Amino acid sequence: MSTDVQAPAERFNFAQHLLALNAERPSKTAFIDDHGSITYADVADRVRRVAAALHALGLRREERVLLLMHDSADWPVSFLGAMYAGLVPVAVNTLLTADDYAYMLENSRAQAALVSGALLPALSAGMVKSEHELKKVIVSRPIAPLHDSEADFEAFIQRAEPMVQPAATNADDPGFWLYSSGSTGRPKGTVHSHANPYWTAELYGKRLLGITEQDVCFSAAKLFFAYGLGNGLSFPMSVGATTILMAERPTPDATFARWLGKVGGVKPTVFFGAPTGFAGMLAHPALPKKGETALRMASSAGEALPAELGERFTKHFGVEIVQQSLQYAHRR
């Protein structure tokens, strides 16, 4: 593919790449979630602490770490922390069954798991059904007392001194796994290199979507999806934008609350959704008026966007919906 975008160096760690890009905007808000916000300086510190804490468990380069979390600031910190340490986060769907988690634990041979407290029962049920290799389960915002094999996420990372230097990974080294939907059988763990999210951010997030540091991004698709991972992490962080993360389902009411700045006091300028979601919002009686939002662009993926739906959205908000390719996350 012909491009004027500079390729990453052979020695390349994607997590370190994002931290370096944002080193000069330490006080800028990076993520806003249901509990508050964190700056880019906070992200850098917490990523390095996650890396050090996982390394202290005795995990070795390219071993897998299961990531089962609702969208919150702990998700990108955990994902990038594992990559920074040269480990391979395996981001999995939060809506699966214990049988699914049992299969993924065995298939990935994950050595540790990072999980939201609300999802710990499902993971624990999967552990009972599997011959897993987990050494430790780290729990973000626990909702019940923890067992000896479990650790509170905040205490776990705060005990560790930040890892100063990232693992010496190469651009083509395994960076993370995402599982396929399993529509043709068992879900398949698809391996993405450290360079893969670099190329999608450079060629799609920056060039085609035109996301900038001034944007506030909000994605209905969750971070465990390839679509959501770009929208909510690699695209905005590659330019120093702010991201709104939401743990709950993207219902019209929940989405409108974010559009209107009722969570975090900031209105998104870029919204990422899917045709079914756009249809539900346009039919909802509480649909905000054009002047009530700050939207400058919307994006759709997952299925073909009906022309009539896009035209209605544009007529109401004066904003066009960009149809994303279903394959963008897997191509350079």
Side-chain angles (χ1 to χ4, degrees), residues 49 53 136 151-161:
R49 288 182 186 275
K136 201 75 171 178
D152 176 81
F153 179 85
E154 198 62 34
F156 178 73
I157 68 171
Q158 290 305 326
R159 283 196 297 265
E161 289 297 320

Side-chain angles (χ1 to χ4, degrees), residues 82-149:
M83 292 183 75
Y84 190 91
L87 302 170
V88 180
V90 180
V92 297
N93 191 320
T94 60
L95 302 174
L96 301 180
T97 67
D99 287 339
D100 292 319
Y101 296 135
Y103 164 73
M104 292 173 178
L105 284 169
E106 291 187 358
N107 180 257
S108 68
R109 294 187 298 188
Q111 299 297 300
L114 294 142
V115 58
S116 293
L119 296 169
L120 180 58
L123 177 64
S124 297
M127 292 168 63
V128 170
K129 294 186 173 190
S130 69
E131 295 182 7
H132 67 82
E133 300 179 24
L134 296 180
K135 295 181 173 72
K136 201 75 171 178
V137 175
I138 301 99
V139 185
S140 169
R141 299 185 179 275
I143 60 176
L146 300 178
H147 301 297
D148 291 342
S149 60

Side-chain angles (χ1 to χ4, degrees), residues 34-80:
D34 301 338
H35 306 284
S37 64
I38 63 173
T39 66
Y40 273 104
D42 296 329
V43 170
D45 178 70
R46 292 170 73 81
V47 163
R48 293 186 172 106
R49 288 182 186 275
V50 168
L54 291 173
H55 188 263
L57 292 178
L59 274 59
R60 298 173 296 179
R61 284 276 300 274
E62 296 190 12
E63 287 188 324
R64 270 73 64 197
V65 177
L66 194 81
L67 179 55
L68 174 61
M69 284 186 177
H70 288 135
D71 281 18
S72 72
D74 286 347
W75 202 108
V77 163
S78 298
F79 182 83
L80 295 175

Side-chain angles (χ1 to χ4, degrees), residues 12 20-21 32 54 58 71 77 100 187 226 250 254 297 307 322-323:
F12 180 76
L21 286 177
I32 299 169
L54 291 173
D71 281 18
V77 163
D100 292 319
M297 184 178 66
V322 177
Q323 174 71 57

